[in-house]
Amino acid sequence: SGLLDGAIDAYRRAYRLVADDPVAQGEMLLKRALARWRAAQYTTALSDTTRARRLVESVGSKEAAGLAARASAFSAHIKQRQEKPQEALRRANAALEEAIAVGELSAQARAYSVVGWAHLVMGMEGAQQLTEEAFNLYEELDDLVGQQQMSNNLGVIAYFDGNWSAALEYYERSLEGSRLLGNVVDVGTAEANIGEVLVSQFRLDEAETHLRRASRILRSSDEAFMATFAELQLGRLLTERGDLDEAEEMLQRVRSEGLELGFSTSVFEASLYLADCTVRKGDPRTALQLLDDAVGEAGDEASMYGATEARIRVSALTAMGRQDEALELAEEGLMLSRAQELDYDTALLLMLKAKLLRPLNQAACSECELEASAIFTQYGVQYQTSG
């Protein structure tokens, strides 16, 4: 229901009622850890998983071994939510080995889902197969919540693979399934993910309906991670629409909350879109400084968004009248986006390059626009190429 404070309090009281049963106490701790995870209380959630394992260390039962494996898998899931893919992958692989050894299918499913996510964000192969393995295990367990969550994860993979029609189908399946289950928080998650696709397709009115609803649901549930994600997409939407003051306010708020909660990737992404908004507000110099600061803070993570960063820098340089530098950077950005097979970013950069080429070489300009239009058609993007 998204009533996380009430859930945490109920599990605390339940824990005291089973003081003579360490396995039952461990179960309460893991349930409480899930509520804390939803509420972005990651340190205390990890503490609960550690306590759960310690409670059953000396209990030589199958139930105790299964609980220990689930605690290990959930600790990996917490690291995933903290946007720490290498640590999440290490923990998930260890949990998977442990879970297979004791035949704990629920822990295996969660571990596979985390390994799949880590493979996706780290550019490793196999993300879809690993996530499908998690889905199949949740089907075997008749765990409908897990199935809906894996449908959502498969949508994320399809989105990053450039199959946006499939992504929307997975998200819609997750949304309807979560509604039928009464799983309010996962309804908000699916709404946010649908909104992200629609913003990228420039279907702004449709996107706003989903994102406003997602923000309302997730904020009322104190689900901070996905709430900031939904509002990040709203910031993108408002920027594209030209509501720049509201966009700036929202992106600054998302960035501040991300810093407070330790969402490093989200902070970097919010900084990029804040710089984009700043360019459009007529202050390209400040935008370039924002980009420099963000890249410096992000370190290696900045490479994941190199094409996006290049695109915003091109816009800033163009606004400053530095067309030669902008054109050179557009070419560099295109090399990067093509190397990483980021077709959507390639199309956006091509449109910027076309704008720069228009007064210089109309044939080359038209060539860029034609290539971009073909990509936009493939992705269902409603982009006005004449702009």
Side-chain angles (χ1 to χ4, degrees), residues 209-349:
T209 299
H210 287 281
L211 292 172
R212 297 284 185 190
R213 193 156 51 216
S215 177
R216 184 173 65 253
I217 292 169
L218 295 164
R219 284 296 175 194
S220 67
S221 304
D222 291 327
E223 221 291 14
F225 180 85
M226 285 308 301
T228 58
F229 173 81
E231 289 160 7
L232 177 67
Q233 306 313 316
L234 267 174
R236 291 178 59 209
L237 183 154
L238 292 165
T239 298
E240 290 298 337
R241 183 180 284 160
D243 298 331
L244 300 179
D245 289 339
E246 187 180 356
E248 181 180 38
E249 180 183 352
M250 182 162 289
L251 291 167
Q252 286 178 336
R253 186 168 67 246
V254 168
R255 187 179 184 281
S256 296
E257 185 172 3
L259 282 168
E260 181 181 345
L261 296 172
F263 299 153
S264 57
T265 301
S266 300
V267 167
F268 182 59
E269 198 172 357
S271 298
L272 293 181
Y273 295 128
L274 183 59
D276 186 23
C277 178
T278 303
V279 172
R280 300 186 197 214
K281 291 190 76 172
D283 191 359
R285 284 183 173 78
T286 298
L288 288 175
Q289 187 61 55
L290 284 169
L291 289 172
D292 289 341
D293 292 344
V295 170
E297 292 167 4
D300 292 341
E301 280 191 11
S303 61
M304 294 173 57
Y305 295 91
T308 302
E309 180 208 340
R311 172 169 57 82
I312 297 167
R313 284 189 186 275
V314 169
S315 295
L317 291 169
T318 302
M320 295 169 67
R322 294 159 60 178
Q323 273 75 10
D324 289 346
E325 293 174 70
L327 190 56
E328 183 178 350
L329 184 57
E331 291 286 3
E332 293 175 9
L334 283 166
M335 289 178 61
L336 178 61
S337 65
R338 293 186 199 278
Q340 295 179 340
E341 299 182 342
L342 301 172
D343 292 341
Y344 179 70
D345 292 279
T346 295
L348 293 175
L349 280 161

Side-chain angles (χ1 to χ4, degrees), residues 176-221:
E176 292 309 312
S178 297
R179 280 176 176 161
L180 288 171
L181 290 168
N183 189 338
V184 175
V185 180
D186 283 347
V187 166
T189 296
E191 293 271 24
N193 283 328
I194 291 169
E196 178 188 28
V197 179
L198 295 175
V199 171
S200 297
Q201 291 179 322
F202 294 88
R203 296 161 62 183
L204 302 184
D205 291 343
E206 295 173 73
E208 184 169 19
T209 299
H210 287 281
L211 292 172
R212 297 284 185 190
R213 193 156 51 216
S215 177
R216 184 173 65 253
I217 292 169
L218 295 164
R219 284 296 175 194
S220 67
S221 304

Side-chain angles (χ1 to χ4, degrees), residues 60-232:
S61 68
K62 181 179 179 180
E63 292 77 12
L67 185 141
R70 285 188 283 118
S72 296
F74 194 66
S75 75
H77 207 168
I78 294 168
K79 289 298 177 183
Q80 172 183 333
R81 182 54 68 90
Q82 289 181 302
E83 300 179 332
K84 298 182 184 299
Q86 292 182 336
E87 178 64 12
L89 181 60
R90 184 189 68 78
R91 288 179 182 242
N93 279 328
L96 184 59
E97 184 176 339
E98 181 181 2
I100 290 172
V102 299
E104 175 52 57
L105 297 185
S106 178
Q108 290 177 45
R110 190 180 293 276
Y112 272 121
S113 76
V114 176
V115 174
W117 169 83
H119 277 229
L120 175 66
V121 300
M122 294 171 69
M124 302 165 65
E125 295 192 4
Q128 180 161 339
Q129 292 85 348
L130 290 159
T131 306
E132 287 174 348
E133 182 65 32
F135 184 93
N136 293 337
L137 286 166
Y138 281 126
E139 273 196 321
E140 185 175 344
L141 291 162
D142 199 26
D143 184 334
L144 297 178
V145 173
Q147 290 172 44
Q148 304 314 321
Q149 291 174 345
M150 291 309 99
S151 290
N152 184 79
N153 287 8
L154 287 166
V156 173
I157 293 167
Y159 177 76
F160 279 100
D161 282 348
N163 192 347
W164 289 4
S165 60
L168 285 172
E169 288 177 11
Y170 279 122
Y171 292 151
E172 291 285 358
R173 190 183 309 169
S174 179
L175 175 61
E176 292 309 312
S178 297
R179 280 176 176 161
L180 288 171
L181 290 168
N183 189 338
V184 175
V185 180
D186 283 347
V187 166
T189 296
E191 293 271 24
N193 283 328
I194 291 169
E196 178 188 28
V197 179
L198 295 175
V199 171
S200 297
Q201 291 179 322
F202 294 88
R203 296 161 62 183
L204 302 184
D205 291 343
E206 295 173 73
E208 184 169 19
T209 299
H210 287 281
L211 292 172
R212 297 284 185 190
R213 193 156 51 216
S215 177
R216 184 173 65 253
I217 292 169
L218 295 164
R219 284 296 175 194
S220 67
S221 304
D222 291 327
E223 221 291 14
F225 180 85
M226 285 308 301
T228 58
F229 173 81
E231 289 160 7
L232 177 67

